Amino acid sequence: MDILSLSHIAKRFGGKQVLTDVSFLVPEHTVFGFVGQNGAGKTTTMKLILGLLASDSGEISVNGRKVRYGSTAANRMVGYLPDVPEFYPYMTPKEYLCFCGGITGMTAKESRERSEELLCLVGLEQENRRIRGFSRGMKQRLGLAQALFGRPKLLICDEPTSALDPVGRKELLDLLVSVKEQATVLFSTHILSDVEHICDEIAFLHGGRIVLQGSLEEVRARRKATATELELEQPKDAQRLLSMFPCLKPIGSNRLLLEMAGALPDILHALADKRMPILRIERQEASLEDLFLEVVGK
């Protein structure tokens, strides 16, 4: 089942066409990577899904319910984590979450129990100090707890790791993977290594359009390998092999790159025949960064 559906969405601001015919589906219980460069229109898309902006054309639905600008019942099924979540700094994490529970109509007991559950999930159960003293990573984890408070079917995360240090990024990414059984995650980012670590499905946004989408495996299958790297023991042997096979490219004193897979058997035969000691032969898999740069024409 698809939790989120965007069909032929377009959005213009003045003379600038931000989105043009954007369509994609987000399956239930997946981490969906919505990938694009800064300024590609990712945040605009998030705001359209939340009903905070009106699209010029097209249709958006969450769990089968149509999203309507300004007044959408679909938002009851959506949790939202912005790139920079804001809080009342004089509150403690538990006070803040209980406050959120009160706004949604929960009883004090329900709010307290849900707050304790979520603070344990995000690793803040021992934090009783005021939020003003929190690090950026701690605020992101509290923001995730708040976004999950109403048990949403869809969790939207807009660039949640863009300003975190490596430890904070890993902690948040691990949390997003852990919650996908509770809520489908739409993960907007320009950090492709994060996408490779946690996403099941991907859509690449460029020039206001979806230029590539599919499962991580399907996207990677477009370029299964880019090259083979050979590392020889002696630099002189590398130079000798290079003179024998012009298709090789030097990438170091004793390292060579082969981009023509068909030449590999002949090269291996030459290595054995000339008794050239070799340290390593490694087939390089294409990264998402390679593929993204390829499809956007960079």
Side-chain angles (χ1 to χ4, degrees):
M1 177 180 176
D2 296 317
I3 289 295
L4 174 65
S5 169
L6 280 79
S7 179
H8 306 294
I9 297 298
K11 181 63 181 177
R12 174 186 291 273
F13 292 105
K16 181 175 177 58
Q17 189 73 41
V18 179
L19 300 174
T20 306
D21 196 28
V22 171
S23 300
F24 62 85
L25 301 172
V26 179
E28 189 175 17
H29 298 308
T30 59
V31 179
F32 189 96
F34 190 44
V35 183
Q37 299 158 297
N38 289 331
K42 300 188 299 298
T43 297
T44 296
T45 305
M46 304 294 103
K47 290 180 177 179
L48 290 169
I49 295 169
L50 292 165
L52 300 176
L53 291 173
S55 62
D56 297 333
S57 62
E59 186 174 291
I60 302 173
S61 62
V62 177
N63 199 35
R65 292 192 179 183
K66 188 174 180 179
V67 172
R68 300 183 185 278
Y69 168 62
S71 177
T72 174
N75 275 1
R76 292 185 176 274
M77 296 178 284
V78 179
Y80 179 54
L81 175 63
D83 57 343
V84 184
E86 296 290 342
F87 309 96
Y88 293 110
Y90 55 84
M91 289 183 172
T92 66
K94 189 172 181 179
E95 287 172 346
Y96 177 74
L97 291 181
C98 287
F99 169 73
C100 293
I103 291 175
T104 62
M106 284 187 179
T107 66
K109 182 175 182 293
E110 289 173 331
S111 294
R112 191 165 54 250
E113 290 175 351
R114 183 62 173 157
S115 298
E116 291 171 355
E117 176 187 346
L118 288 169
L119 289 173
C120 286
L121 175 68
V122 300
L124 295 175
E125 67 274 16
Q126 301 300 323
E127 290 293 341
N128 295 314
R129 55 180 163 152
R130 305 298 174 188
I131 297 171
R132 67 166 59 91
F134 277 21
S135 67
R136 180 71 183 268
M138 293 170 70
K139 288 180 179 178
Q140 288 292 73
R141 283 188 278 155
L142 180 57
L144 179 60
Q146 184 275 322
L148 290 169
F149 201 91
R151 293 184 172 85
K153 288 187 174 292
L154 175 65
L155 173 64
I156 296 176
C157 301
D158 189 8
E159 302 272 8
T161 62
S162 60
L164 299 182
D165 60 34
V167 173
R169 278 176 59 198
K170 183 180 185 307
E171 289 176 345
L172 189 63
L173 291 173
D174 289 345
L175 283 170
L176 292 179
V177 172
S178 72
V179 304
K180 76 175 181 179
E181 292 306 315
Q182 303 177 34
T184 300
V185 180
L186 177 60
F187 176 56
S188 161
T189 187
H190 64 274
I191 305 174
L192 293 168
S193 59
D194 290 351
V195 174
E196 289 185 296
H197 286 148
I198 71 168
C199 292
D200 306 299
E201 303 264 342
I202 312 168
F204 285 176
L205 181 68
H206 178 69
R209 299 178 183 273
I210 301 297
V211 294
L212 180 65
Q213 63 180 308
S215 69
L216 192 58
E217 293 75 19
E218 289 168 347
V219 169
R220 281 175 166 161
R222 289 185 52 139
R223 290 182 67 197
K224 291 187 177 179
T226 55
T228 300
E229 185 178 334
L230 298 90
E231 184 176 0
L232 284 79
E233 188 175 286
Q234 299 295 331
K236 63 179 182 180
D237 288 336
Q239 291 301 315
R240 189 180 176 193
L241 194 65
L242 186 61
S243 67
M244 296 168 62
F245 297 94
C247 57
L248 291 167
K249 296 180 180 179
I251 55 173
S253 62
N254 63 334
R255 292 164 52 228
L256 302 170
L257 192 67
L258 174 66
E259 295 181 328
M260 294 174 55
L264 185 59
D266 290 337
I267 292 172
L268 294 176
H269 181 78
L271 287 168
D273 186 55
K274 304 299 181 182
R275 297 184 179 276
M276 299 181 192
I278 189 161
L279 298 177
R280 179 171 58 92
I281 299 177
E282 182 178 337
R283 191 178 185 186
Q284 296 181 340
E285 295 296 325
S287 67
L288 283 185
E289 182 176 0
D290 296 329
L291 186 53
F292 184 68
L293 291 175
E294 180 181 291
V295 297
V296 302
K298 294 292 185 179

